[in-house]
Amino acid sequence: MVARSAKPVSDRGVHIALHDLIALRHTAQLLNLNFQQKMRNQLIGGHLSNLRGRGVDFDEVRAYQAGDDIRHMDWRVTARTGTPHTKLFHEERDRPVFLVVDYSLNMFFGTRIAFKSVVAAQAAALLAWAAVNNGDRLGGVIFSGKKHIEFRPQARLRGVLPFLKVLSDFDRPEPPHEQALAQVLLRLRHVVKPGSLLFILSDFAKLDEEAARHLSRLAQHTEVIACLIRDPIEIEPPAKGKYAITNGQQAALLDCTATAMRQSYHDYFYRQFEHLNSVLTKRRIALIELRTDRPVHKDLQYALAGHTARRPREKQHAS
């Protein structure tokens, strides 16, 4: 749903161009993806999210030596040769970083500066460049409407440029009957390797019980960071008045003059946030808030530096 404003909305805040995403490469140098041990949750007080670390890859099989871990015995080779053999592993040197970008219909909304979809694209581009700068492999999923596009982790420009191209081509709202967030998370459980770093950029409006279950499974072996993208009007109701709104096909009037209606409006979004807060807290998933009325790179830089932002406001009565 798009709010109509007296001032024309800048096209830059509605659509994102490929050259703008490429230009964020230098700004991304301010972001640090090398977490040391723990990252503070940005909105859930002092909750800490334990990092799982990088995965390990199979290297080779060799004859067993004293001191080798018996749990890594290769029993097939041992049986075939008659001599004990063990498997050797090495730590991954480049960690897979996955970016999940939600381009659902509700993301094409904004009342200040930019649509949520544009903020999602900017944040994804910054994180993508930060991963490349860090020597990590970049993969991801961009989903909208009935389709989604997957990117297998690749290093350097081979990973980031195709991803950015689809980000810029994809930023148009699709018809309803959208793919559920739960479907995307289920798919991620099959493609994201243990030890990966996973960012989910969304407003989480479609976070249901099934999606929460898949998040739980992902968080067991993957470092998951939820990037909640919100517009100021989704936090507090607008000033008292009547507002014409449209979803591009139908028009309606939002009456914000009555105190009861304003309180109901406030409570709806408060409950929505508290639900997300509860789901992530139970699963020890870090939460970063990105706003359409704030510079994206500053929010990310502050969050990834391990600082703790202000806690959510206590429930208030809308005046």
Side-chain angles (χ1 to χ4, degrees), residues 48-60:
L48 297 175
S49 176
N50 293 323
L51 299 185
R52 277 75 180 175
R54 303 189 179 192
V56 292
D57 286 335
F58 171 74
D59 193 2
E60 62 176 334

Side-chain angles (χ1 to χ4, degrees), residues 277-294:
N277 191 356
S278 175
V279 168
L280 299 181
T281 301
K282 291 178 182 177
R283 290 152 182 85
R284 299 185 63 78
I285 295 175
L287 174 63
I288 295 174
E289 180 186 24
L290 303 176
R291 294 265 296 267
T292 61
D293 61 339
R294 296 196 305 227

Side-chain angles (χ1 to χ4, degrees), residues 31-46:
L31 305 184
N32 176 27
L33 298 187
N34 284 324
F35 309 116
Q36 297 302 314
Q37 292 182 348
K38 295 181 178 179
M39 172 180 158
R40 282 196 177 272
N41 186 296
Q42 292 304 291
L43 291 176
I44 309 174

Side-chain angles (χ1 to χ4, degrees), residues 12 29 38 65 70 73 102 139 176 187 192 199 205 209 213-214 220 225 227 236 253 263 277 279 303 307-308 316:
R12 172 163 278 187
Q29 294 175 359
K38 295 181 178 179
Q65 297 178 6
I70 194 172
M73 291 290 291
D102 183 355
R187 176 59 185 162
V192 176
F199 290 91
E209 291 185 8
R213 287 197 300 270
H214 296 317
Q220 289 175 8
I225 299 178
C227 297
E236 294 291 342
L253 188 68
Q263 186 62 55
N277 191 356
V279 168
H307 296 292
T308 303
Q316 301 173 358

Side-chain angles (χ1 to χ4, degrees), residues 14-286:
V14 176
H15 302 298
I16 196 74
L18 177 59
H19 62 81
D20 289 329
L21 299 178
I22 294 175
L24 290 172
R25 181 173 190 175
H26 299 294
T27 307
Q29 294 175 359
L30 301 172
L31 305 184
N32 176 27
L33 298 187
N34 284 324
F35 309 116
Q36 297 302 314
Q37 292 182 348
K38 295 181 178 179
M39 172 180 158
R40 282 196 177 272
N41 186 296
Q42 292 304 291
L43 291 176
I44 309 174
H47 160 67
L48 297 175
S49 176
N50 293 323
L51 299 185
R52 277 75 180 175
R54 303 189 179 192
V56 292
D57 286 335
F58 171 74
D59 193 2
E60 62 176 334
V61 174
R62 64 158 169 76
Y64 177 83
Q65 297 178 6
D68 287 343
D69 192 337
I70 194 172
R71 292 174 298 179
H72 296 157
M73 291 290 291
D74 191 322
W75 299 110
R76 289 185 179 181
V77 177
T78 298
R80 187 172 65 249
T81 63
T83 304
H85 280 72
T86 185
K87 296 177 182 178
L88 296 183
F89 299 86
H90 67 269
E91 184 180 6
E92 286 182 341
R93 295 184 179 179
D94 51 347
R95 169 188 51 186
V97 175
F98 277 83
L99 304 176
V100 180
V101 182
D102 183 355
Y103 271 166
S104 299
L105 191 61
N106 47 288
M107 291 290 289
F108 293 85
F109 170 86
T111 62
R112 311 275 182 87
I113 301 180
F115 278 7
K116 292 187 288 184
S117 57
V118 171
V119 172
Q122 292 172 338
L126 286 164
L127 292 169
W129 284 120
V132 170
N133 294 339
N134 197 46
D136 295 323
R137 289 175 290 139
L138 177 70
V141 174
I142 303 172
F143 70 98
S144 172
K146 297 180 180 179
K147 63 181 180 180
H148 77 276
I149 298 179
E150 294 182 15
F151 297 85
R152 296 286 181 173
Q154 295 193 69
R156 298 182 289 277
L157 296 182
R158 290 178 301 170
V160 68
L161 291 181
F163 182 79
L164 298 185
K165 179 65 167 61
V166 173
L167 269 182
S168 62
D169 291 342
F170 226 72
D171 79 327
R172 299 294 188 276
E174 300 246 341
H177 312 295
E178 298 181 287
Q179 184 171 214
L181 176 62
Q183 293 176 266
V184 176
L185 295 177
L186 174 60
R187 176 59 185 162
L188 286 169
R189 286 176 52 190
H190 297 289
V191 300
V192 176
K193 295 177 62 176
S196 300
L197 178 59
L198 172 63
F199 290 91
I200 304 176
L201 300 105
S202 173
D203 62 0
F204 294 94
K206 306 294 177 62
L207 183 65
D208 55 19
E209 291 185 8
E210 184 181 359
R213 287 197 300 270
H214 296 317
L215 270 178
S216 294
R217 291 293 189 89
L218 282 166
Q220 289 175 8
H221 306 290
T222 306
E223 181 62 19
V224 182
I225 299 178
C227 297
L228 171 64
I229 302 172
R230 297 204 288 179
D231 187 86
I233 207 171
E234 295 174 324
I235 302 172
E236 294 291 342
K240 289 185 177 181
K242 297 181 179 181
Y243 301 87
I245 56 176
T246 179
N247 61 3
Q249 297 178 340
Q250 298 174 315
L253 188 68
L254 177 64
D255 188 349
C256 291
T257 56
T259 300
M261 186 277 164
R262 293 173 59 79
Q263 186 62 55
S264 176
Y265 180 106
H266 179 276
D267 291 347
Y268 171 80
F269 286 106
Y270 182 87
R271 288 193 301 269
Q272 190 177 56
F273 175 80
E274 284 300 294
H275 171 63
L276 174 64
N277 191 356
S278 175
V279 168
L280 299 181
T281 301
K282 291 178 182 177
R283 290 152 182 85
R284 299 185 63 78
I285 295 175

